[in-house]
Amino acid sequence: MTEGGIAERSESRARSRFITLEGGEGAGKSTQAALLANALLALGLPILRTREPGGAPGSETLRGLLLGSSEWSPLAETLLHFAARAEHVAKTIRPALDAGMWVVCDRFYDSTMAYQGYGEGIDHGVIASLIGHLGIVPDVTLVLDVSDKVAAERRVRRGGDADRYERLDAAFHARVRQAFREIAKAEPARCVLIASDGSKEEVHSAIMRTLRTRLTLPSGP
Ligand code: TMP
């Protein structure tokens, strides 16, 4: 199982599930998505791990435009995220679910509500309407919540060049964090807030405990 729409299958025929991971910068989503996908694969489930923006060829092209140096107006940026997402759903996520796979997706539509809605001031109703047009809702959304201090430490440890979003100021990132908390509170049937200041092993254990209470997981291979 790898990112970007390439999948490995195991023998299981379990009913498909769509699991998304959300959170601000430094929340550890990508690490947790990989650990989760490996754990589910070890249980014998057929897994596709993917991410946004991206996850399909056209969506990856849009990712390059979105994270690159261009300055987008907030509405254009919102629509580009949804163009990438519509393609991702049509070409990768929907076919995998139809084939009975479990899809683990690093970011999905809550990121647009948090970053472009709460962060950049795009009308929440516009984003909610676009979400409705996708015609797909995750079974479980894991919202990783990390303190500003730990998020900053993780960003420094990770190194490398900051993308366009990582360069935005602390007030923007505070709005994004608050947005994810509000989204999780507003949709408790779908979303679970996971405290993510701990080690990656601790956060992974919390995620697996959550999934065992929300979904029927096999006991092992
Ligand atoms: P990543 O760092 O998780 O790969 O995500 C890339 C950046 O894109 C991240 O800073 C958040 C941003 N983003 C949005 O602003 N809106 C969206 O809808 C998505 C999916 C990501």
Side-chain angles (χ1 to χ4, degrees):
M1 152 265 325
T2 59
E3 275 187 353
I6 303 164
E8 287 172 12
R9 282 161 183 277
S10 70
E11 294 308 309
S12 171
R13 294 276 183 277
R15 156 160 146 48
S16 67
R17 295 289 187 181
F18 183 27
I19 302 167
T20 57
L21 291 97
E22 299 278 10
E25 311 299 320
K29 282 175 306 74
S30 305
T31 301
Q32 292 303 327
L35 289 172
L36 172 59
N38 283 333
L40 296 176
L41 199 61
L43 292 177
L45 292 165
I47 300 301
L48 170 78
R49 175 160 64 100
T50 186
R51 64 146 183 215
E52 290 205 343
S59 317
E60 289 289 334
T61 303
L62 290 171
R63 179 185 175 94
L65 296 176
L66 280 159
L67 302 191
S69 54
S70 309
E71 285 299 326
W72 298 103
S73 68
L75 181 59
E77 185 179 338
T78 302
L79 297 173
L80 283 173
H81 275 295
F82 267 93
R85 181 163 301 127
E87 191 68 2
H88 186 206
V89 169
K91 302 281 171 62
T92 302
I93 295 173
R94 178 64 70 197
L97 293 172
D98 287 347
M101 303 192 80
W102 286 46
V103 176
V104 174
C105 188
D106 181 350
R107 294 196 185 281
F108 198 55
Y109 58 56
D110 298 305
S111 281
T112 314
M113 187 61 92
Y115 282 79
Q116 281 67 53
Y118 288 72
E120 295 173 11
I122 289 292
D123 188 310
H124 296 188
V126 169
I127 297 173
S129 163
L130 290 166
I131 289 172
H133 284 287
L134 290 173
I136 190 168
V137 177
D139 293 295
V140 179
T141 295
L142 302 159
V143 180
L144 306 194
D145 185 56
V146 68
S147 66
D148 298 344
K149 182 171 168 284
V150 171
E153 286 166 7
R154 285 184 186 157
R155 280 199 297 274
V156 169
R157 224 177 303 138
R158 197 176 64 196
D161 291 338
D163 68 33
R164 206 158 62 75
Y165 294 100
E166 288 166 334
R167 288 195 295 271
L168 293 170
D169 63 20
F172 177 89
H173 290 292
R175 287 200 296 283
V176 167
R177 182 183 182 200
Q178 189 53 31
F180 280 123
R181 296 172 71 96
E182 284 182 27
I183 291 166
K185 202 168 162 198
E187 285 191 66
R190 174 174 68 89
C191 302
V192 190
L193 196 69
I194 306 274
S196 300
D197 273 4
S199 69
K200 63 182 181 202
E201 292 80 11
E202 286 164 346
V203 177
H204 175 61
S205 297
I207 286 175
M208 293 308 289
R209 274 197 305 276
T210 296
L211 290 185
R212 287 195 184 284
T213 63
R214 298 236 166 185
L215 305 172
T216 306
L217 297 185
S219 50

